[in-house]
Amino acid sequence: MARGKPVIVVGITGGIGAYKSCELVRRLQKSGFCVKVVMTEAATRFVTPLTFRTLTGEPVAVSLWADEPHSKVHHISLAEEADVFAIVPCTANVIAKLAQGRADDMLTTTALATEAPLVIAPAMNTHMWRKETTRRNVETLRTRGAVFVEPGTGELACGDVGEGRLADVNAIADAIEVEARRCRDLAGAHVLVTAGGTQEPIDPVRFIGNHSSGKTGFAIAEEAARRGARVSLVTGPVSLPDPFGCEVVRVQTALQMRAAVLARFSSADVAIMTAAVADFRPAAMSAEKIKKTDAPASIGLERNPDILAELGGMDSGAILVGFAAETTDVIANAQGKLAAKHADVIVANDVSDPSMGFGTDHNKVYFVTGAAVDESPVLGKPAIARDLLDRVAALLEAKRG
Ligand code: PMT
């Protein structure tokens, strides 16, 4: 089904900057977006819903106890329709609610229900912006993938001078447009992702495994689905729930992961292999639990197939992205893997730092291609997923001409 204009839901909270949202709505409409507005009760003290209703030609959502009849529960339909959810201006109070997952009005309920990317333009008094609690709430939301358009510095409504002014409307609109472009740039592509670590059984209760949590692969799968891709996620045992809108195949061993990947690779446009696949498996699995008294002096190992190298050898035309967990010579080792596995990109991380890589919420990576090595700052894994998929989308576009 052909989709209409991308929908931007603009959430407006109770700050003096609310009047600038009128200009933002206009600018977004001029850029070709369908704009729908949701306001907090406090926001309606600054600008009336009628203003936004007149600007957008759409009903303005304020109360959960809908004053206007809708065919579907309104906060859910808004949440589903949104290609981007932007909160402009966003108060310290609403930032705190979002960080806690609270949903006690129309705006925060819609924000919690949506799968759309969240763009937040905060505006508040300097001291509130700098408070440790606000900093922590902002960081929590950033780690989950929210995009912040930082407030500017200048004279504030309260008379103080400092940080906290709502950012320039054009900068906010630009950030929203970037997210809106992203939300469809993988439409039509089949993206195959591996995640987690494999477990290679020694006996019915023991295995050889590693510390991969699956966070990286799941963040990539979720972001790819949000951007319109058909996503197949093949994951080792992890304790994460299925990401929204993805086919999820849960496996245990490297051999099972290989079978699930090969069964899906022929239709894949992109394969992103974040899984920490065990390179070896016990040569034989004991059918019974091995007793302490019968413990062998050593466990014989067999090599597992290298799934990424196998895909690289097929020359299918799919874009191949591998990951490399390194503790020394990070770049050189990643370059070696790029060549050996015929990958287009290797995303290398230095896992000698325990705060990065396995199990963490943040990571710092190097995007290694035949042409360049790009270093990322320390970012939340959803933000790394977004950066990686920007690169993948550009490669796909170049390939499709
Ligand atoms: O899951 P998280 O807790 O978020 O942790 C993320 C991560 C640290 C697991 C991830 O960032 C990462 O580095 N993944 C790759 C880990 C790894 O084991 O890399 P490798 O150097 O062994 O393998 C290189 C590439 O070949 C990887 O894409 C791997 O999926 C692939 N491979 C490796 C061995 C094998 N038998 N088959 C493979 O396909």
Side-chain angles (χ1 to χ4, degrees):
M1 191 176 73
R3 293 191 63 185
K5 294 178 180 179
V7 176
I8 312 295
V9 174
V10 178
I12 301 169
T13 74
I16 182 65
Y19 80 92
K20 294 190 184 163
S21 297
C22 302
E23 198 186 326
L24 176 71
V25 166
R26 271 283 186 242
R27 153 89 206 253
L28 291 172
Q29 286 173 321
K30 279 193 191 133
S31 301
F33 297 107
C34 169
V35 183
K36 302 195 177 196
V37 170
V38 53
M39 302 174 79
T40 61
E41 290 284 351
T44 66
R45 308 260 175 160
F46 291 92
V47 186
T48 68
L50 182 62
T51 309
F52 290 107
R53 189 183 174 121
T54 309
L55 287 174
T56 61
E58 296 278 347
V60 172
V62 179
S63 170
L64 274 172
W65 318 108
D67 15 39
E68 303 206 29
H70 290 278
S71 54
K72 205 167 176 194
V73 180
H74 199 187
H75 63 273
I76 300 298
S77 62
L78 270 181
E80 285 175 355
E81 276 175 294
D83 286 299
V84 178
F85 190 88
I87 307 185
V88 186
C90 193
T91 59
N93 179 45
V94 171
I95 288 175
K97 284 192 200 176
L98 296 173
Q100 290 167 12
R102 288 179 58 196
D104 61 0
D105 60 16
M106 186 64 161
L107 186 147
T108 49
T109 307
T110 308
L112 191 60
T114 193
E115 296 293 330
L118 198 56
V119 176
I120 298 175
M124 66 194 73
N125 165 274
T126 304
H127 301 290
M128 293 168 79
W129 176 243
R130 289 198 185 145
K131 262 289 151 54
E132 171 62 20
T133 42
T134 305
R135 307 310 318 146
R136 225 184 358 244
N137 290 333
V138 167
E139 196 43 41
T140 300
L141 291 171
R142 266 211 187 101
T143 300
R144 285 188 212 142
V147 172
F148 276 81
V149 187
E150 294 284 319
T153 302
E155 193 176 339
L156 305 172
C158 57
D160 282 1
V161 175
E163 260 176 303
R165 274 165 74 107
L166 185 66
D168 176 65
V169 167
N170 286 320
I172 299 170
D174 288 348
I176 294 170
E177 286 186 28
V178 167
E179 292 306 314
R181 259 197 308 278
R182 274 193 179 119
C183 74
R184 294 185 187 184
D185 61 0
L186 294 177
H190 178 201
V191 177
L192 176 58
V193 182
T194 65
T198 61
Q199 295 181 351
E200 311 297 326
I202 298 168
D203 69 13
V205 299
R206 303 180 179 93
F207 58 81
I208 297 173
N210 60 68
H211 297 292
S212 172
S213 64
K215 287 178 187 171
T216 301
F218 276 57
I220 291 169
E222 193 169 331
E223 173 74 8
R226 188 182 293 138
R227 291 161 77 151
R230 172 162 79 85
V231 179
S232 302
L233 172 63
V234 179
T235 177
V238 296
S239 57
L240 300 172
D242 289 1
F244 184 75
C246 301
E247 178 205 18
V248 181
V249 187
R250 293 189 184 257
V251 299
Q252 186 189 8
T253 65
L255 291 179
Q256 290 166 359
M257 182 169 275
R258 172 180 178 270
V261 165
L262 291 184
R264 287 159 182 81
F265 185 61
S266 61
S267 62
D269 301 289
V270 181
I272 304 178
M273 314 291 279
T274 78
V277 185
D279 288 315
F280 299 94
R281 63 179 183 276
M285 176 190 158
S286 165
E288 310 288 336
K289 181 181 170 193
I290 301 170
K291 300 281 182 220
K292 256 185 267 185
T293 45
D294 305 334
S298 60
I299 298 175
L301 297 175
E302 249 175 38
R303 273 208 86 118
N304 270 328
D306 188 319
I307 309 167
L308 176 58
E310 209 171 328
L311 303 186
M314 287 180 192
D315 201 16
S316 74
I319 291 163
L320 280 189
V321 180
F323 271 62
E326 305 294 343
T327 52
T328 54
D329 300 325
V330 177
I331 309 293
N333 284 330
Q335 284 166 331
K337 285 177 183 170
L338 184 78
K341 304 191 187 215
H342 304 288
D344 296 287
V345 185
I346 291 284
V347 185
N349 42 181
D350 183 350
V351 294
S352 64
D353 176 348
S355 69
M356 300 294 150
F358 288 98
T360 57
D361 288 331
H362 292 85
N363 207 354
K364 175 185 174 62
V365 300
Y366 302 85
F367 297 99
V368 179
T369 64
V373 177
D374 293 340
E375 183 178 342
S376 82
V378 175
L379 293 170
K381 287 180 176 174
I384 290 189
R386 190 179 301 144
D387 190 343
L388 173 60
L389 290 176
D390 286 350
R391 293 163 193 271
V392 166
L395 288 174
L396 262 182
E397 199 176 311
K399 199 163 227 173
R400 287 169 175 167

